[in-house]
Amino acid sequence: MLAKKNWHQKHFDNLGFGSRLADSVAKSMGSWKFIIIQTVLVVLWMTLNLVAFMKHWDVYPFILLNLLFSTQAAYAAPIIMMSQNRQNERDRAQAQADYQTNLDAKLEIEALTSKLNSIEVYKLDKIIRLLEQMERQPK
């Protein structure tokens, strides 16, 4: 028998290619690896343009580099927002699953409490009957 899928697996299975791509882009752009690689590339870009002997393709104040950053930001912001929206959906799904689990647990605890109470009443009734029988017996 196959194990029942949890809320996270169900949510992931419903994601399309674009959603998965947006999540992976947002995940990579929000990492130290991305920041370090981008910093190295920017320093390399500036260094090559400042010390280039033959051709400066982007002279100081690095307008082309600023254009690249603007383009990156223009695409990154909506992709990250899409990913955050999906994270909100995942959080809502998790909260709903947690609520349902808590509700099921509450109902089970109430049923167990009721059963324990009935066992307790049964035992008390039995003890009372035994005491009454002991009182009736001659000494």
Side-chain angles (χ1 to χ4, degrees):
M1 183 169 97
L2 292 175
K4 207 171 164 184
K5 289 186 177 184
N6 64 26
W7 64 268
H8 182 70
Q9 291 165 330
K10 289 177 187 174
H11 182 79
F12 186 77
D13 290 345
N14 290 333
L15 293 179
F17 173 75
S19 297
R20 290 182 185 170
L21 180 63
D23 285 346
S24 65
V25 168
K27 184 178 179 182
S28 66
M29 289 185 86
S31 69
W32 278 108
K33 182 180 177 182
F34 176 81
I35 292 171
I36 291 168
I37 290 172
Q38 185 166 9
T39 301
V40 168
L41 290 175
V42 167
V43 169
L44 185 63
W45 179 288
M46 290 177 168
T47 303
L48 287 175
N49 276 289
L50 289 174
V51 299
F53 294 110
M54 298 287 284
K55 178 149 172 90
H56 300 269
W57 69 88
D58 188 20
V59 295
Y60 182 82
F62 309 114
I63 294 172
L64 183 57
L65 182 62
N66 284 322
L67 179 64
L68 290 173
F69 278 143
S70 297
T71 304
Q72 178 188 29
Y75 282 98
I79 289 172
I80 291 169
M81 287 174 61
M82 285 188 286
S83 183
Q84 287 175 339
N85 288 339
R86 267 187 302 288
Q87 181 62 46
N88 289 339
E89 291 171 14
R90 283 190 293 267
D91 291 345
R92 277 192 295 278
Q94 181 180 12
Q96 182 61 38
D98 289 346
Y99 173 77
Q100 189 61 48
T101 300
N102 291 340
L103 187 61
D104 294 343
K106 178 185 175 221
L107 293 174
E108 194 169 325
I109 289 169
E110 287 174 350
L112 287 171
T113 303
S114 176
K115 182 68 175 170
L116 285 173
N117 286 339
S118 69
I119 291 171
E120 212 172 90
V121 167
Y122 172 75
K123 285 184 178 183
L124 284 173
D125 287 344
K126 192 172 183 178
I127 290 170
I128 290 171
R129 280 195 306 271
L130 287 173
L131 287 173
E132 287 173 351
Q133 286 175 359
M134 286 175 59
E135 284 179 0
R136 283 187 226 142
Q137 291 178 354
K139 294 184 183 183

PDB file of all heavy atoms in Angstrom, residues 83-107:
ATOM      1  N   SER A  83       7.589  33.501  -5.930  1.00  0.00           N
ATOM      2  CA  SER A  83       8.035  32.465  -5.005  1.00  0.00           C
ATOM      3  C   SER A  83       7.498  32.723  -3.597  1.00  0.00           C
ATOM      4  O   SER A  83       7.074  31.795  -2.901  1.00  0.00           O
ATOM      5  CB  SER A  83       9.563  32.409  -4.998  1.00  0.00           C
ATOM      6  OG  SER A  83      10.016  31.372  -4.165  1.00  0.00           O
ATOM      7  N   GLN A  84       7.495  33.982  -3.174  1.00  0.00           N
ATOM      8  CA  GLN A  84       6.958  34.316  -1.849  1.00  0.00           C
ATOM      9  C   GLN A  84       5.459  34.043  -1.776  1.00  0.00           C
ATOM     10  O   GLN A  84       4.955  33.578  -0.752  1.00  0.00           O
ATOM     11  CB  GLN A  84       7.240  35.776  -1.510  1.00  0.00           C
ATOM     12  CG  GLN A  84       8.686  36.039  -1.171  1.00  0.00           C
ATOM     13  CD  GLN A  84       8.972  37.520  -0.953  1.00  0.00           C
ATOM     14  OE1 GLN A  84       8.238  38.384  -1.413  1.00  0.00           O
ATOM     15  NE2 GLN A  84      10.056  37.802  -0.249  1.00  0.00           N
ATOM     16  N   ASN A  85       4.736  34.313  -2.861  1.00  0.00           N
ATOM     17  CA  ASN A  85       3.307  34.013  -2.888  1.00  0.00           C
ATOM     18  C   ASN A  85       3.065  32.514  -2.733  1.00  0.00           C
ATOM     19  O   ASN A  85       2.148  32.093  -2.026  1.00  0.00           O
ATOM     20  CB  ASN A  85       2.659  34.522  -4.177  1.00  0.00           C
ATOM     21  CG  ASN A  85       2.550  36.027  -4.202  1.00  0.00           C
ATOM     22  OD1 ASN A  85       2.589  36.680  -3.164  1.00  0.00           O
ATOM     23  ND2 ASN A  85       2.416  36.590  -5.385  1.00  0.00           N
ATOM     24  N   ARG A  86       3.891  31.714  -3.408  1.00  0.00           N
ATOM     25  CA  ARG A  86       3.767  30.262  -3.270  1.00  0.00           C
ATOM     26  C   ARG A  86       4.131  29.818  -1.856  1.00  0.00           C
ATOM     27  O   ARG A  86       3.532  28.899  -1.307  1.00  0.00           O
ATOM     28  CB  ARG A  86       4.618  29.539  -4.305  1.00  0.00           C
ATOM     29  CG  ARG A  86       3.834  29.222  -5.558  1.00  0.00           C
ATOM     30  CD  ARG A  86       4.630  28.373  -6.497  1.00  0.00           C
ATOM     31  NE  ARG A  86       5.877  29.004  -6.889  1.00  0.00           N
ATOM     32  CZ  ARG A  86       5.981  30.039  -7.694  1.00  0.00           C
ATOM     33  NH1 ARG A  86       4.901  30.579  -8.196  1.00  0.00           N
ATOM     34  NH2 ARG A  86       7.145  30.546  -8.010  1.00  0.00           N
ATOM     35  N   GLN A  87       5.098  30.493  -1.242  1.00  0.00           N
ATOM     36  CA  GLN A  87       5.450  30.174   0.148  1.00  0.00           C
ATOM     37  C   GLN A  87       4.268  30.467   1.062  1.00  0.00           C
ATOM     38  O   GLN A  87       3.975  29.684   1.965  1.00  0.00           O
ATOM     39  CB  GLN A  87       6.671  30.978   0.600  1.00  0.00           C
ATOM     40  CG  GLN A  87       7.105  30.690   2.029  1.00  0.00           C
ATOM     41  CD  GLN A  87       7.524  29.258   2.245  1.00  0.00           C
ATOM     42  OE1 GLN A  87       8.261  28.691   1.458  1.00  0.00           O
ATOM     43  NE2 GLN A  87       7.049  28.659   3.314  1.00  0.00           N
ATOM     44  N   ASN A  88       3.557  31.556   0.790  1.00  0.00           N
ATOM     45  CA  ASN A  88       2.349  31.858   1.566  1.00  0.00           C
ATOM     46  C   ASN A  88       1.300  30.765   1.382  1.00  0.00           C
ATOM     47  O   ASN A  88       0.625  30.373   2.339  1.00  0.00           O
ATOM     48  CB  ASN A  88       1.774  33.216   1.173  1.00  0.00           C
ATOM     49  CG  ASN A  88       2.634  34.366   1.642  1.00  0.00           C
ATOM     50  OD1 ASN A  88       3.428  34.224   2.564  1.00  0.00           O
ATOM     51  ND2 ASN A  88       2.480  35.511   0.999  1.00  0.00           N
ATOM     52  N   GLU A  89       1.148  30.273   0.142  1.00  0.00           N
ATOM     53  CA  GLU A  89       0.202  29.188  -0.119  1.00  0.00           C
ATOM     54  C   GLU A  89       0.618  27.926   0.641  1.00  0.00           C
ATOM     55  O   GLU A  89      -0.230  27.237   1.215  1.00  0.00           O
ATOM     56  CB  GLU A  89       0.131  28.882  -1.615  1.00  0.00           C
ATOM     57  CG  GLU A  89      -0.512  29.966  -2.453  1.00  0.00           C
ATOM     58  CD  GLU A  89      -0.354  29.720  -3.942  1.00  0.00           C
ATOM     59  OE1 GLU A  89       0.008  28.582  -4.340  1.00  0.00           O
ATOM     60  OE2 GLU A  89      -0.580  30.658  -4.718  1.00  0.00           O
ATOM     61  N   ARG A  90       1.920  27.633   0.635  1.00  0.00           N
ATOM     62  CA  ARG A  90       2.414  26.465   1.380  1.00  0.00           C
ATOM     63  C   ARG A  90       2.141  26.635   2.874  1.00  0.00           C
ATOM     64  O   ARG A  90       1.745  25.680   3.545  1.00  0.00           O
ATOM     65  CB  ARG A  90       3.918  26.265   1.141  1.00  0.00           C
ATOM     66  CG  ARG A  90       4.253  25.644  -0.193  1.00  0.00           C
ATOM     67  CD  ARG A  90       5.714  25.259  -0.267  1.00  0.00           C
ATOM     68  NE  ARG A  90       6.614  26.404  -0.271  1.00  0.00           N
ATOM     69  CZ  ARG A  90       7.077  27.005  -1.348  1.00  0.00           C
ATOM     70  NH1 ARG A  90       6.744  26.579  -2.545  1.00  0.00           N
ATOM     71  NH2 ARG A  90       7.885  28.037  -1.244  1.00  0.00           N
ATOM     72  N   ASP A  91       2.365  27.831   3.389  1.00  0.00           N
ATOM     73  CA  ASP A  91       2.119  28.086   4.810  1.00  0.00           C
ATOM     74  C   ASP A  91       0.641  27.899   5.153  1.00  0.00           C
ATOM     75  O   ASP A  91       0.306  27.333   6.192  1.00  0.00           O
ATOM     76  CB  ASP A  91       2.577  29.491   5.197  1.00  0.00           C
ATOM     77  CG  ASP A  91       4.084  29.653   5.165  1.00  0.00           C
ATOM     78  OD1 ASP A  91       4.805  28.633   5.123  1.00  0.00           O
ATOM     79  OD2 ASP A  91       4.547  30.818   5.175  1.00  0.00           O
ATOM     80  N   ARG A  92      -0.246  28.386   4.266  1.00  0.00           N
ATOM     81  CA  ARG A  92      -1.678  28.198   4.504  1.00  0.00           C
ATOM     82  C   ARG A  92      -2.043  26.714   4.465  1.00  0.00           C
ATOM     83  O   ARG A  92      -2.822  26.240   5.298  1.00  0.00           O
ATOM     84  CB  ARG A  92      -2.503  28.964   3.467  1.00  0.00           C
ATOM     85  CG  ARG A  92      -2.694  30.418   3.813  1.00  0.00           C
ATOM     86  CD  ARG A  92      -3.732  31.084   2.935  1.00  0.00           C
ATOM     87  NE  ARG A  92      -3.363  31.175   1.530  1.00  0.00           N
ATOM     88  CZ  ARG A  92      -2.578  32.102   1.021  1.00  0.00           C
ATOM     89  NH1 ARG A  92      -2.063  33.032   1.798  1.00  0.00           N
ATOM     90  NH2 ARG A  92      -2.296  32.116  -0.260  1.00  0.00           N
ATOM     91  N   ALA A  93      -1.473  25.982   3.521  1.00  0.00           N
ATOM     92  CA  ALA A  93      -1.743  24.538   3.432  1.00  0.00           C
ATOM     93  C   ALA A  93      -1.238  23.819   4.680  1.00  0.00           C
ATOM     94  O   ALA A  93      -1.911  22.931   5.214  1.00  0.00           O
ATOM     95  CB  ALA A  93      -1.101  23.951   2.175  1.00  0.00           C
ATOM     96  N   GLN A  94      -0.065  24.204   5.152  1.00  0.00           N
ATOM     97  CA  GLN A  94       0.487  23.588   6.358  1.00  0.00           C
ATOM     98  C   GLN A  94      -0.379  23.929   7.570  1.00  0.00           C
ATOM     99  O   GLN A  94      -0.651  23.071   8.406  1.00  0.00           O
ATOM    100  CB  GLN A  94       1.915  24.036   6.604  1.00  0.00           C
ATOM    101  CG  GLN A  94       2.521  23.382   7.836  1.00  0.00           C
ATOM    102  CD  GLN A  94       3.947  23.806   8.098  1.00  0.00           C
ATOM    103  OE1 GLN A  94       4.443  24.760   7.499  1.00  0.00           O
ATOM    104  NE2 GLN A  94       4.607  23.111   8.976  1.00  0.00           N
ATOM    105  N   ALA A  95      -0.812  25.174   7.665  1.00  0.00           N
ATOM    106  CA  ALA A  95      -1.665  25.575   8.789  1.00  0.00           C
ATOM    107  C   ALA A  95      -2.975  24.798   8.766  1.00  0.00           C
ATOM    108  O   ALA A  95      -3.469  24.363   9.814  1.00  0.00           O
ATOM    109  CB  ALA A  95      -1.927  27.079   8.742  1.00  0.00           C
ATOM    110  N   GLN A  96      -3.544  24.611   7.580  1.00  0.00           N
ATOM    111  CA  GLN A  96      -4.791  23.848   7.462  1.00  0.00           C
ATOM    112  C   GLN A  96      -4.564  22.387   7.855  1.00  0.00           C
ATOM    113  O   GLN A  96      -5.379  21.796   8.560  1.00  0.00           O
ATOM    114  CB  GLN A  96      -5.348  23.937   6.030  1.00  0.00           C
ATOM    115  CG  GLN A  96      -6.663  23.216   5.844  1.00  0.00           C
ATOM    116  CD  GLN A  96      -7.772  23.763   6.717  1.00  0.00           C
ATOM    117  OE1 GLN A  96      -7.874  24.959   6.932  1.00  0.00           O
ATOM    118  NE2 GLN A  96      -8.611  22.890   7.240  1.00  0.00           N
ATOM    119  N   ALA A  97      -3.446  21.818   7.405  1.00  0.00           N
ATOM    120  CA  ALA A  97      -3.132  20.427   7.770  1.00  0.00           C
ATOM    121  C   ALA A  97      -2.908  20.308   9.277  1.00  0.00           C
ATOM    122  O   ALA A  97      -3.374  19.342   9.904  1.00  0.00           O
ATOM    123  CB  ALA A  97      -1.895  19.954   7.001  1.00  0.00           C
ATOM    124  N   ASP A  98      -2.218  21.272   9.870  1.00  0.00           N
ATOM    125  CA  ASP A  98      -2.001  21.262  11.324  1.00  0.00           C
ATOM    126  C   ASP A  98      -3.333  21.384  12.065  1.00  0.00           C
ATOM    127  O   ASP A  98      -3.554  20.693  13.067  1.00  0.00           O
ATOM    128  CB  ASP A  98      -1.069  22.399  11.744  1.00  0.00           C
ATOM    129  CG  ASP A  98       0.367  22.174  11.313  1.00  0.00           C
ATOM    130  OD1 ASP A  98       0.698  21.031  10.923  1.00  0.00           O
ATOM    131  OD2 ASP A  98       1.155  23.136  11.363  1.00  0.00           O
ATOM    132  N   TYR A  99      -4.195  22.258  11.581  1.00  0.00           N
ATOM    133  CA  TYR A  99      -5.507  22.430  12.210  1.00  0.00           C
ATOM    134  C   TYR A  99      -6.294  21.126  12.160  1.00  0.00           C
ATOM    135  O   TYR A  99      -6.891  20.707  13.158  1.00  0.00           O
ATOM    136  CB  TYR A  99      -6.297  23.554  11.511  1.00  0.00           C
ATOM    137  CG  TYR A  99      -7.712  23.672  11.995  1.00  0.00           C
ATOM    138  CD1 TYR A  99      -7.985  24.271  13.214  1.00  0.00           C
ATOM    139  CD2 TYR A  99      -8.766  23.163  11.250  1.00  0.00           C
ATOM    140  CE1 TYR A  99      -9.291  24.374  13.682  1.00  0.00           C
ATOM    141  CE2 TYR A  99     -10.066  23.255  11.705  1.00  0.00           C
ATOM    142  CZ  TYR A  99     -10.325  23.861  12.912  1.00  0.00           C
ATOM    143  OH  TYR A  99     -11.602  23.951  13.365  1.00  0.00           O
ATOM    144  N   GLN A 100      -6.282  20.467  10.999  1.00  0.00           N
ATOM    145  CA  GLN A 100      -7.025  19.210  10.852  1.00  0.00           C
ATOM    146  C   GLN A 100      -6.450  18.134  11.765  1.00  0.00           C
ATOM    147  O   GLN A 100      -7.194  17.387  12.406  1.00  0.00           O
ATOM    148  CB  GLN A 100      -7.009  18.739   9.391  1.00  0.00           C
ATOM    149  CG  GLN A 100      -7.932  17.568   9.134  1.00  0.00           C
ATOM    150  CD  GLN A 100      -9.389  17.902   9.445  1.00  0.00           C
ATOM    151  OE1 GLN A 100      -9.903  18.928   9.029  1.00  0.00           O
ATOM    152  NE2 GLN A 100     -10.056  17.032  10.178  1.00  0.00           N
ATOM    153  N   THR A 101      -5.128  18.082  11.872  1.00  0.00           N
ATOM    154  CA  THR A 101      -4.486  17.116  12.769  1.00  0.00           C
ATOM    155  C   THR A 101      -4.889  17.388  14.208  1.00  0.00           C
ATOM    156  O   THR A 101      -5.214  16.459  14.962  1.00  0.00           O
ATOM    157  CB  THR A 101      -2.955  17.186  12.618  1.00  0.00           C
ATOM    158  OG1 THR A 101      -2.603  16.884  11.272  1.00  0.00           O
ATOM    159  CG2 THR A 101      -2.260  16.227  13.558  1.00  0.00           C
ATOM    160  N   ASN A 102      -4.864  18.659  14.606  1.00  0.00           N
ATOM    161  CA  ASN A 102      -5.254  19.020  15.966  1.00  0.00           C
ATOM    162  C   ASN A 102      -6.723  18.689  16.239  1.00  0.00           C
ATOM    163  O   ASN A 102      -7.068  18.225  17.325  1.00  0.00           O
ATOM    164  CB  ASN A 102      -4.990  20.499  16.231  1.00  0.00           C
ATOM    165  CG  ASN A 102      -3.518  20.819  16.283  1.00  0.00           C
ATOM    166  OD1 ASN A 102      -2.685  19.946  16.484  1.00  0.00           O
ATOM    167  ND2 ASN A 102      -3.186  22.084  16.098  1.00  0.00           N
ATOM    168  N   LEU A 103      -7.567  18.935  15.257  1.00  0.00           N
ATOM    169  CA  LEU A 103      -8.987  18.631  15.410  1.00  0.00           C
ATOM    170  C   LEU A 103      -9.199  17.128  15.570  1.00  0.00           C
ATOM    171  O   LEU A 103      -9.947  16.690  16.451  1.00  0.00           O
ATOM    172  CB  LEU A 103      -9.768  19.163  14.203  1.00  0.00           C
ATOM    173  CG  LEU A 103     -11.281  19.094  14.266  1.00  0.00           C
ATOM    174  CD1 LEU A 103     -11.795  19.917  15.435  1.00  0.00           C
ATOM    175  CD2 LEU A 103     -11.874  19.607  12.965  1.00  0.00           C
ATOM    176  N   ASP A 104      -8.517  16.329  14.728  1.00  0.00           N
ATOM    177  CA  ASP A 104      -8.619  14.874  14.835  1.00  0.00           C
ATOM    178  C   ASP A 104      -8.109  14.389  16.186  1.00  0.00           C
ATOM    179  O   ASP A 104      -8.719  13.513  16.816  1.00  0.00           O
ATOM    180  CB  ASP A 104      -7.833  14.192  13.709  1.00  0.00           C
ATOM    181  CG  ASP A 104      -8.433  14.455  12.332  1.00  0.00           C
ATOM    182  OD1 ASP A 104      -9.605  14.883  12.256  1.00  0.00           O
ATOM    183  OD2 ASP A 104      -7.725  14.232  11.326  1.00  0.00           O
ATOM    184  N   ALA A 105      -6.998  14.966  16.649  1.00  0.00           N
ATOM    185  CA  ALA A 105      -6.438  14.585  17.948  1.00  0.00           C
ATOM    186  C   ALA A 105      -7.404  14.943  19.072  1.00  0.00           C
ATOM    187  O   ALA A 105      -7.585  14.168  20.022  1.00  0.00           O
ATOM    188  CB  ALA A 105      -5.090  15.259  18.161  1.00  0.00           C
ATOM    189  N   LYS A 106      -8.037  16.099  18.973  1.00  0.00           N
ATOM    190  CA  LYS A 106      -8.995  16.520  19.992  1.00  0.00           C
ATOM    191  C   LYS A 106     -10.163  15.541  20.075  1.00  0.00           C
ATOM    192  O   LYS A 106     -10.572  15.132  21.170  1.00  0.00           O
ATOM    193  CB  LYS A 106      -9.508  17.922  19.675  1.00  0.00           C
ATOM    194  CG  LYS A 106     -10.543  18.424  20.650  1.00  0.00           C
ATOM    195  CD  LYS A 106     -11.099  19.766  20.217  1.00  0.00           C
ATOM    196  CE  LYS A 106     -12.204  20.162  21.163  1.00  0.00           C
ATOM    197  NZ  LYS A 106     -13.337  20.741  20.528  1.00  0.00           N
ATOM    198  N   LEU A 107     -10.686  15.156  18.910  1.00  0.00           N
ATOM    199  CA  LEU A 107     -11.808  14.209  18.897  1.00  0.00           C
ATOM    200  C   LEU A 107     -11.392  12.863  19.480  1.00  0.00           C
ATOM    201  O   LEU A 107     -12.150  12.236  20.237  1.00  0.00           O
ATOM    202  CB  LEU A 107     -12.334  14.037  17.473  1.00  0.00           C
ATOM    203  CG  LEU A 107     -12.992  15.273  16.855  1.00  0.00           C
ATOM    204  CD1 LEU A 107     -13.333  15.025  15.393  1.00  0.00           C
ATOM    205  CD2 LEU A 107     -14.220  15.675  17.645  1.00  0.00           C
TER     206      LEU A 107
END
